[in-house]
Amino acid sequence: MGPIKPASRGHVVLYLILLIVIVGLFYSLRKCNRSYLSDELRPSGGDTLDVAIEYSPISFYTIEDTLGGFNYDLMRMIAERHGLKLKFHPVVTLSKALQYIENDTYDILAADIPLTAEFKERYAFLEPVLLDKQVLVQLRDSSGNARVNNQLDLAGDTVWIVDGSSIESRIINLGHDIGDTIYVEHEKLYGPEQLFLMTALGEIKQAVINERVAEAMAKDYPDVDISTDISFTQFQSWIVSNKRPEMRDSIDKWIKEIKFTPEYKELENRYLK
């Protein structure tokens, strides 16, 4: 066995940032001490809906002892209007959250998931809650220019995505469109926010994530370029368990109704405009 190489300074910085993000999340959640937050990996039972919610700058976040986010506030708004009991389960790993939906640990996955044909065959989607697209996250060079300026520049190149993301099929099809392979690496432990940080710190070459998350992060990282689109604008929807069709149909109906209310417009203006 050869000698173990010490971690590079960049890796140390990245791991410290990721550790702070994760520890900060769970510390904030415990500090909030809200009865509708839980880290239990089992169904609550009764009439409580278990909602796995993606931790991201748009979907769900914590600032000191305050909770917020578009998906979080929208789900609570629906619950209050219809007398639902909720328990939120924050997640940072999309692939695991999808497994928990498949095995009925959770009832709903509230995350920004592109509505693709492949995923529609595997999961039950609700009424779309917003529009978004995927963009390439990359560092600018010393002259301030992006290395990849259009999709053709990705021929034979490699991009990172969150493990379990439906964007993988889009990248494969994009490779077919440009007549060359685009290789995909999967981040199995963390979400889009961490992929952005890994790119910003030079730990990975480039990543593909949702534009809304990229825009929220890019404000603090001027050396990061997010101008290259990877997909068209798509509907983003929540996923529900196929085992509870009555719950699925009800929430689908309530989302359609609430989108015409002033409260929903206020949420759009607060988080999406």
Side-chain angles (χ1 to χ4, degrees):
M1 174 182 274
I4 299 175
K5 296 181 180 180
S8 68
R9 182 179 179 185
H11 280 88
V12 172
V13 171
L14 172 64
Y15 296 151
L16 285 175
I17 290 176
L18 296 180
L19 180 61
I20 291 170
V21 169
I22 301 301
V23 171
L25 164 63
F26 290 106
Y27 173 77
S28 298
L29 296 182
R30 294 186 66 179
K31 183 178 178 182
C32 290
N33 194 27
R34 307 286 179 84
S35 60
Y36 43 80
L37 289 172
S38 175
D39 57 2
E40 294 181 348
L41 292 179
R42 60 183 182 184
S44 298
D47 57 355
T48 298
L49 291 180
D50 290 293
V51 182
I53 188 163
E54 180 184 31
Y55 185 71
S56 80
I58 301 300
S59 177
F60 171 70
Y61 62 82
T62 66
I63 299 178
E64 296 181 350
D65 62 346
T66 300
L67 306 179
F70 179 79
N71 288 332
Y72 174 77
D73 283 350
L74 179 57
M75 189 71 245
R76 288 195 63 205
M77 186 186 302
I78 293 171
E80 290 172 359
R81 290 168 66 95
H82 298 282
L84 302 177
K85 294 181 181 179
L86 302 178
K87 185 162 286 185
F88 287 98
H89 304 263
V91 295
V92 294
T93 308
L94 179 60
S95 58
K96 287 185 178 180
L98 291 170
Q99 291 176 12
Y100 296 146
I101 290 292
E102 290 173 349
N103 64 23
D104 297 319
T105 300
Y106 301 142
D107 299 303
I108 303 172
L109 171 56
D112 301 331
I113 303 175
L115 186 58
T116 63
E118 178 191 4
F119 262 44
K120 284 181 68 176
E121 294 179 356
R122 297 169 55 189
Y123 305 105
F125 280 86
L126 293 172
E127 170 77 7
V129 296
L130 53 83
L131 293 169
D132 206 347
K133 61 183 175 181
Q134 285 72 47
V135 297
L136 185 73
V137 179
Q138 60 179 322
L139 277 174
R140 296 188 176 92
D141 61 23
S142 57
S143 301
N145 299 315
R147 183 185 61 84
V148 175
N149 293 299
N150 61 68
Q151 297 171 351
L152 292 173
D153 293 336
L154 288 173
D157 210 342
T158 300
V159 299
W160 283 75
I161 65 171
V162 173
D163 192 39
S165 171
S166 61
I167 188 58
E168 182 168 9
S169 61
R170 167 57 188 161
I171 295 172
I172 292 173
N173 290 333
L174 177 59
H176 294 158
D177 293 341
I178 65 177
D180 206 336
T181 301
I182 301 174
Y183 299 96
V184 178
E185 293 284 351
H186 302 84
E187 172 51 53
K188 298 181 182 298
L189 296 179
Y190 304 110
E193 190 173 5
Q194 286 71 35
L195 273 181
F196 184 101
L197 289 173
M198 292 166 72
T199 305
L201 293 171
E203 294 295 327
I204 60 176
K205 187 176 181 180
Q206 55 206 0
V208 177
I209 65 175
N210 274 18
E211 184 182 45
R212 294 188 189 278
V213 174
E215 287 180 338
M217 300 286 293
K219 296 175 183 177
D220 297 322
Y221 294 89
D223 292 334
V224 172
D225 179 87
I226 59 170
S227 63
T228 301
D229 294 345
I230 298 299
S231 75
F232 299 110
T233 299
Q234 300 166 293
F235 288 118
Q236 312 287 307
S237 302
W238 298 346
I239 286 175
V240 295
S241 170
N242 279 312
K243 304 293 178 62
R244 300 185 65 177
E246 293 181 359
M247 177 271 296
R248 179 192 63 207
D249 293 344
S250 295
I251 296 181
D252 193 67
K253 174 185 176 183
W254 296 334
I255 292 175
K256 292 176 182 177
E257 292 174 349
I258 206 167
K259 288 167 73 172
F260 293 96
T261 65
E263 292 84 358
Y264 183 85
K265 297 301 181 184
E266 182 181 341
L267 277 186
E268 282 191 314
N269 290 332
R270 187 189 315 164
Y271 292 113
L272 308 181
K273 299 293 181 63

